Every structure is written in structure tokens, then in C-alpha cells.
Amino acid sequence: MGLMLSDSMINAKVGSEVGDFGRSYYFYLGVQVRLTFQDQVFTNFRELDLEHHAFRWVDIKRFRLFWPDADDVHLLAELIGHEQYRDDCAGGGVEAGGLRQGPYWLRNLSPTAYAHIDEAGAKTLLLGWERQCGPLPAALSGRLKCEVRPLVAEATGRYRLKDLGCEVFHDWGGVHTDFHELILIDRAAGTLSLLVTADD
């Protein structure tokens, strides 16, 4: 079961973060947590001969957990401190010293920016996004079923990025019509996946 987040839990955070070639270390309540980037899977609907692609894409970044017993708050904070999180999701790619993540300024993001979501809710969110322009071709649907569905079904903790409002957009944030971000923690597999679905 995923850990429910509260401001009191987040305010208990102490220490600092250091990034080092795709690896970061958080000293959080005296516990060192290590999260290492594993790989990335990117699916661009435009490359799959889809007439109504609506410029949509799915991006999955997977990380290996070296402290799988660390609670969800620690892991969310570790991810936010990781250089792979510093991605504007609009073609600019990862910037080690970047100040943006998705549509928001990085400074506005913390574990409290994420809300717990159950498996049914995550599936409904993703299916609604996938089918907004009608059913997908069998090949694309099968690819998403293989790459995305297991991450949601097997996760022991699921979190979605809240709608934080345009007040905290970065200087050109809001270019995506439909932006969804999920963090999927699988303790059995020792992995954390950052899943983004959007359009450009």
C-alpha cells in the first residue's frame, strides 16, 4: 500500500542532496537513499502511422532502488533531486542544472505536489488519455499494454502529479494540452518509474 503524504511528514526532511552522473543521494531523516537511473522508453504516436495522433507521446524513465525499504516520501524526494527529473518534457531533454520539470518551475515541486492514486484510478486516467481521439491501432495498443499496464498493475505505490495551477508554470509552461505524470513504485522489483503522457 502506498504511503499517504502529509505536510508534517514532508517538513521532517533534513539534510541535502548531491547529484553525481545520474545518481543522487538524499539524507532524509538520517537515512541515505540511493536511486539510480536505469533506462528510458519513449513512444511517439506520430511514428506509428496513426492518423489522429494528436502529437501525443508516452515517456517512461525507470530507476533502480538500492534501498527498497525506504518509505514513499523518501523516494519521491530522491526522484525530485535526481538530474533525470530536470526535464521540461517539451523537447529540451534533461538538463543537469535545469530549473524546469514538465510545465512547472522545479522550485515549486516537492513530495506534497503528488497525490496518492489507486490502481483503478491510474488505469482510468491513462485509458481516458489514450482514447481521447478514438480507439488506438492494435499495434500501438499492444505496445502500451506491454510497456505501461504492468507498471501500473504491479506497483506497490502510485502517485500522480497534482494540477498545481498556472501560477507556478515556468516561463513557457502550459504548452501541453493534456499533461499527466505518474510515479510508480514497485518494491518487489526494486524499481521506480516516472511515467509522463502528454502532447506537443
Side-chain angles (χ1 to χ4, degrees):
M1 179 178 295
L3 179 67
M4 298 300 289
L5 308 182
S6 68
D7 288 339
S8 62
M9 294 168 66
I10 303 308
N11 291 336
K13 175 177 177 290
V14 295
S16 61
E17 167 264 331
V18 178
D20 181 19
F21 300 101
R23 178 178 297 171
S24 59
Y25 303 89
Y26 247 88
F27 296 90
Y28 199 104
L29 301 179
V31 177
Q32 183 178 351
V33 181
R34 181 181 292 183
L35 188 70
T36 299
F37 179 63
Q38 180 172 307
D39 59 15
Q40 181 175 14
V41 178
F42 185 80
T43 301
N44 190 333
F45 285 23
R46 284 179 291 178
E47 296 175 354
L48 297 170
D49 195 27
L50 177 61
E51 181 180 0
H52 300 295
H53 55 70
F55 301 97
R56 286 174 291 165
W57 48 264
V58 178
D59 185 36
I60 302 169
K61 292 182 181 180
R62 294 184 291 199
F63 300 81
R64 176 64 59 184
L65 307 180
F66 286 90
W67 288 81
D69 294 333
D71 68 36
D72 290 5
V73 177
H74 299 164
L75 296 177
L76 292 178
E78 169 79 355
L79 176 64
I80 292 170
H82 201 288
E83 68 176 23
Q84 287 290 331
Y85 186 78
R86 300 166 187 261
D87 188 339
D88 58 32
C89 302
V94 172
E95 296 183 46
L99 302 176
R100 302 172 182 84
Q101 199 281 329
Y104 302 117
W105 289 115
L106 186 64
R107 63 175 179 265
N108 295 314
L109 297 171
S110 72
T112 55
Y114 290 85
H116 181 264
I117 186 170
D118 62 17
E119 181 180 354
K123 286 181 176 179
T124 297
L125 177 71
L126 294 172
L127 284 174
W129 177 83
E130 290 175 17
R131 298 172 180 174
Q132 60 183 290
C133 298
L136 298 179
L140 178 54
S141 179
R143 182 168 172 176
L144 295 179
K145 183 176 181 179
C146 177
E147 295 174 351
V148 176
R149 303 286 192 279
L151 297 179
V152 175
E154 297 168 12
T156 55
R158 306 173 189 85
Y159 296 88
R160 64 171 179 81
L161 180 62
K162 301 174 186 175
D163 181 353
L164 303 179
C166 59
E167 297 82 4
V168 296
F169 278 169
H170 56 65
D171 46 353
W172 47 267
V175 296
H176 302 101
T177 303
D178 209 0
F179 182 93
H180 302 290
E181 181 174 301
L182 296 177
I183 297 175
L184 304 165
I185 301 169
D186 184 344
R187 295 185 180 279
T191 60
L192 180 152
S193 298
L194 176 62
L195 169 66
V196 175
T197 67
D199 58 72
D200 60 3

